[in-house]
Amino acid sequence: MPVYPLAPRGTIAPGKLFADQHGAVAQLHGVGIQHLDGLFYAWGEDKSAGATFAGVACYSSPDLATWTSHGHALTADPGVPDIAPGRVVERPKVLRRADGTCVMLLHIESPDYSCARLGWAVSDQPAGPYRYLRSERPKGNVSRDIGVFQDDDGTGYVLSEDRANGLHIYRLSADLLHVEEIVSTTLTKPGAHPAGPHGYESPALVKAGGLYYLVGSDLTGWSTNDNQVATATSPTGPWSDWADIAPPGTATYDSQTSVIVTVRGTQTTSHVYVGDRWIKDDLFHSAPVWLPMEIGDGRARLRWHDSWTINPVTGVVAGQPSAPPG
Ligand code: GAL
């Protein structure tokens, strides 16, 4: 049994696992994160059963480094085919409605990845319990990896990967429970792939300085690749050319984007890249690779940090960039 290093509690150490308040390995895989009621809430894939569904785990943290487990926000239910044990349920992403209730969007799958649907669950509280509602293929489209985004006016969007048809951004209804329309679709860099263009996956959207930054990874399953960013002045696009977010050839420091968190502090607004370093045969121990993300002027850049923290009050990052481990 390999030894998996844990990050010292209260620090973010990319490549090392977070432990919760009981010392258990936090299941922050494919995670969605929101700042609600003064805390960061995270909903992650619990990989206790490997690739198949064991529940959506919920954690909270004051500082993105000290995590408290709240158990399962959504539990596996043998009576509900979409979320029954043995199914695949990935990338839980939560949005909050104006009335304070929460909506969880999910990638609902079969073990052979042919199901490819978008699912919904709702709760009165961030930590749940969530009540599963239903799934669909949005506008009839295949929907695999997802991300969510809520604009300043409360409009919700879901980002959804649809193979050769691209990465779609759908606008959601005001209650966040329905897909209204596709507002834009992007494809990989022209000529970048001999097999032809397709959509980036593990999509994340963040707004900074009036620009929208769309980040995603290439389609290489549990293997990592050089994740990309494109920008636009609106979720409707048009989107710029794609650019690397980390030194090319590092496969994004061996990680795949899950979400980008905005930390609005009294001194500065910082961004945190939240990525997964998947271990295909031991998904439970897949490590978080979370790094400060420098975003501005149409560029988004990661620099390796062995260990760092962020002050949630001021927004200031503490820790120095260094060479990544060989
Ligand atoms: C990746 C995806 C993961 C998971 C994996 C399964 O492409 O980003 O969320 O679905 O494939 O092979």
Side-chain angles (χ1 to χ4, degrees), residues 11-16 18 26-33 40-44 59 61 63-67 252-259 261 271-277 286-293 302-310:
T11 65
I12 303 172
K16 297 186 180 163
F18 287 113
Q27 293 300 288
L28 292 162
H29 312 293
V31 77
I33 298 182
F40 294 96
Y41 279 88
W43 301 266
Y59 299 83
S61 173
D63 57 4
L64 292 169
T66 315
W67 291 101
T252 326
Y253 298 119
D254 191 11
S255 72
Q256 182 187 32
T257 308
S258 190
V259 69
V261 183
H271 296 95
V272 177
Y273 165 87
V274 169
D276 294 291
R277 181 176 288 170
S286 299
V289 175
W290 296 15
L291 288 164
M293 192 173 211
L302 302 179
R303 282 190 291 170
W304 183 261
H305 289 60
D306 282 332
S307 175
W308 62 285
T309 55
I310 187 161

Side-chain angles (χ1 to χ4, degrees), residues 90-91 113 145 201 221-222 256 278:
E90 295 179 335
R91 301 195 180 270
Y113 283 83
D145 282 4
E201 67 175 9
W222 301 119
Q256 182 187 32
W278 299 111

Side-chain angles (χ1 to χ4, degrees), residues 30 45 47 51 88 90-91 107 109 113 144-146 161 163 201-203 217-223 225 256-257 276 278 280 283:
E45 301 166 14
K47 295 298 197 192
V88 171
E90 295 179 335
R91 301 195 180 270
H107 172 192
E109 265 303 347
Y113 283 83
R144 294 202 177 165
D145 282 4
I146 58 162
E161 189 268 317
R163 303 284 114 167
E201 67 175 9
S202 67
S217 90
D218 205 349
L219 310 185
T220 54
W222 301 119
S223 305
N225 53 67
Q256 182 187 32
T257 308
D276 294 291
W278 299 111
K280 181 170 167 285
L283 292 166

